[in-house]
């Protein structure tokens, strides 16, 4: 899939410093973002990032630079990095150059499109707000996602971001007749192979495209892989008129790659060592993810939060682009409450009566209020015990603990580890269950009966013998709760 020109513009390498390459062109100076090829069969790709003077440019290599030396000839391809688009890319896995990395048959009947595109004009963007149902109770009830919006999954390492993303891919087939595009930025190669195998076994691969820029690849490659995935998503939205679910894991690695490139280019770092152009680069990617009359690109992005610090500049800049923020809690994960979503820190701009309806809005507010009151009572319970609370406060604790367990859910993507069949729950069933718990219908039912179930109707059926691990200060609550 090599780019060619009728009369190639040949340059000469002046210097090589890691991934930074300076090249001289006597005939014609390539423009910014032009792709250059060098080496045997043009196997080393360099993207122009700066024009140093009238005859030389500075580029960032998108491939390893072993074997480059001064004086080597460089071919100007005359155009930018290109991504393959078309129906044939479905069920395939690509790298940043659009090359197949799934050991499948070569592609046919695809067209190449520049990865540098502008966002759709404001007049073409849709202003209607619609809910994007995921089949995951805690998200649909408390953090409703927007069709054509951007949602962030915030959390530190090991709290379940990737598992939640893969579950949404699985549920996309059941709830929406759309295309899923998974973009792995700075992913481990093991994760890519496992995801491809799992999606194939789950039968969702025919409506899915995977693009990976792995951890071991140069920063220039990791920085551009997001543009490749968005270009493919734009094709399905604009040409095929289909809804697209774009999953990015992890958008922090995009900022990290940009920071590495910025450092290599010699730019002065900004706050906490990030690149000075971070907000512009992030906006250039995020603004292309939009809802138009043709279709919608709904994006769910995992965001690694360095040291669980939500005031980190990267996390703060990403927050500004999102219509929903799903915060994963390490404390809830340690209690066995999966998905480990913190309902009090997570929020959505869609959670208004005009969009989700009066009943859903009031119910969500009541759930948050109950959980917030429980959080305030935890210190008293830890010091004095549950029996020292008033009867009203004890009722609040009982409702909150049952709500917490009802909002857990077994995932299809974790069946092989937990031996518990996965469940997808409709918004109606999730709301009905929460309402009945708040009305104390299940006050005489053990908390464990609500743990890891689908709809509330399953409470009276046999449960898997799994319980969340209580924290030490909660032992007394468990003893009181299960005394009956």
């Amino acid at each position: 899939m090599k780019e060619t020109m009728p009369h190639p513009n040949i340059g000469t390498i002046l210097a090589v410093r890691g991934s930074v390459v300076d090249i001289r062109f006597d005939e014609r100076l390539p423009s910014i973002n032009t792709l250059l090829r060098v080496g045997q069969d043009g196997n080393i790709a360099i993207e122009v990032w700066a024009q140093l003077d009238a005859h030389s440019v500075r580029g960032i290599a998108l491939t390893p630079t072993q074997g480059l030396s001064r004086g080597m000839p460089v071919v100007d391809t005359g155009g930018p990095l290109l991504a393959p688009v078309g129906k044939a890319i479905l069920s395939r896995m690509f790298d940043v150059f659009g090359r197949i990395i799934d050991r499948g048959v070569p592609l046919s009947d695809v067209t190449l499109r520049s990865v540098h595109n502008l966002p759709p004009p404001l007049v073409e963007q849709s202003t209607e707000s619609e809910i994007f149902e995921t089949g995951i109770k805690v998200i649909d009830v408390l953090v409703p996602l927007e069709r054509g919006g951007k949602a962030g999954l915030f959390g530190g390492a090991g709290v379940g971001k990737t598992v939640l993303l893969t579950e949404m891919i699985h549920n996309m087939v059941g709830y929406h007749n759309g295309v899923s595009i998974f973009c792995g930025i700075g992913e481990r190669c093991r994760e890519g192979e496992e995801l491809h195998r799992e999606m194939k076994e789950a039968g969702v691969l025919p409506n899915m495209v995977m693009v990976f820029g792995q951890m071991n690849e140069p920063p220039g490659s990791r920085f551009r892989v997001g543009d490749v995935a968005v270009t493919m998503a734009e094709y399905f939205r604009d040409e095929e008129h289909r809804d697209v679910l774009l999953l990015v894991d992890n958008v922090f690695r995009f900022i990290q790659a940009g920071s590495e490139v910025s450092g290599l280019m010699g730019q002065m770092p900004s706050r906490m060592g990030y690149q000075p152009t971070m907000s512009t680069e992030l906006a250039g990617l995020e603004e292309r993810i939009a809802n138009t009359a043709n279709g919608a690109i709904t994006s769910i992005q995992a965001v690694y939060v360095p040291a669980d610090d939500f005031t980190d500049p990267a996390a703060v800049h990403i927050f500004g682009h999102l219509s929903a923020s799903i915060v994963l809690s390490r404390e809830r994960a340690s209690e066995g409450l999966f998905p480990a979503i913190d309902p009090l820190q997570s929020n959505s701009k869609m959670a208004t009566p005009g969009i989700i309806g009066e009943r859903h809005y009031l119910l969500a507010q009541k759930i948050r209020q109950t959980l917030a009151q429980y959080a305030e009572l935890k210190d008293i319970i830890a010091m004095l015990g549950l029996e020292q609370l008033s009867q009203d406060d004890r009722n609040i604790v009982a409702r909150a603990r049952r709500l917490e367990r009802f909002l857990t859910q077994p995932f299809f993507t974790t069946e092989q580890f937990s031996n518990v069949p996965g469940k997808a729950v409709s918004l109606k069933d999730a709301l009905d269950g929460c309402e009945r718990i708040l009305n104390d219908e299940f006050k005489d039912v053990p908390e464990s009966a609500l743990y890891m179930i689908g709809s509330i109707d399953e409470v009276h059926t046999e449960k898997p013998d799994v319980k969340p691990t209580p924290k030490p200060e909660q032992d007394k609550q468990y003893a009181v709760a299960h005394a009956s």
Side-chain angles (χ1 to χ4, degrees), residues 389-408:
L389 298 179
S390 68
Q391 188 58 48
D392 286 344
D393 284 347
R394 264 190 263 184
N395 290 339
I396 288 169
V397 171
R399 284 185 214 118
R401 289 178 63 81
R402 282 166 174 76
L403 279 171
E404 281 184 339
R405 277 141 189 80
F406 176 64
L407 292 175
T408 62

Side-chain angles (χ1 to χ4, degrees), residues 326-456:
I326 301 170
V327 178
L328 297 173
S329 157
R330 196 174 299 281
E331 182 183 358
R332 290 177 70 84
S334 68
E335 292 176 28
L337 299 172
F338 292 104
I341 295 170
D342 188 327
L344 300 179
Q345 286 196 65
S346 305
N347 63 78
S348 169
K349 294 176 184 174
M350 304 294 286
T352 61
I355 297 173
I356 61 177
E358 194 76 24
R359 179 195 174 223
H360 185 170
Y361 173 75
L362 292 174
L363 203 52
Q365 292 297 97
K366 186 73 186 293
I367 293 166
R368 286 181 189 276
Q369 182 185 5
T370 304
L371 294 174
Q373 288 173 315
Y374 174 44
E376 290 173 2
L377 292 169
K378 278 183 177 178
D379 288 341
I380 298 173
I381 296 168
M383 288 185 290
L384 304 175
L386 190 67
E387 62 274 7
Q388 297 301 316
L389 298 179
S390 68
Q391 188 58 48
D392 286 344
D393 284 347
R394 264 190 263 184
N395 290 339
I396 288 169
V397 171
R399 284 185 214 118
R401 289 178 63 81
R402 282 166 174 76
L403 279 171
E404 281 184 339
R405 277 141 189 80
F406 176 64
L407 292 175
T408 62
Q409 189 167 340
F411 281 175
F412 293 97
T413 51
T414 57
E415 280 184 20
Q416 57 181 321
F417 307 112
S418 64
N419 293 322
V420 180
K423 305 277 173 63
V425 183
S426 68
L427 176 60
K428 179 184 178 300
D429 288 344
L431 290 174
D432 288 346
C434 292
E435 190 171 45
R436 290 171 67 183
I437 291 170
L438 288 170
N439 291 336
D440 287 338
E441 278 190 43
F442 298 93
K443 64 179 181 180
D444 299 324
V445 174
E447 293 170 2
S448 58
L450 294 161
Y451 179 65
M452 283 294 169
I453 61 171
S455 67
I456 199 75

Side-chain angles (χ1 to χ4, degrees), residues 47 75 100 103 186 228 249 267 290 389 424 459 462:
E47 189 176 52
V75 179
I100 299 163
R103 300 197 190 108
V228 173
D249 188 10
Q267 293 177 339
L389 298 179
V459 168
E462 192 176 346

Side-chain angles (χ1 to χ4, degrees), residues 38-54:
V38 61
Q40 188 176 7
D41 300 324
N43 59 338
I44 297 175
I46 300 167
E47 189 176 52
V48 175
W49 274 65
Q51 295 179 337
L52 300 178
D53 54 44

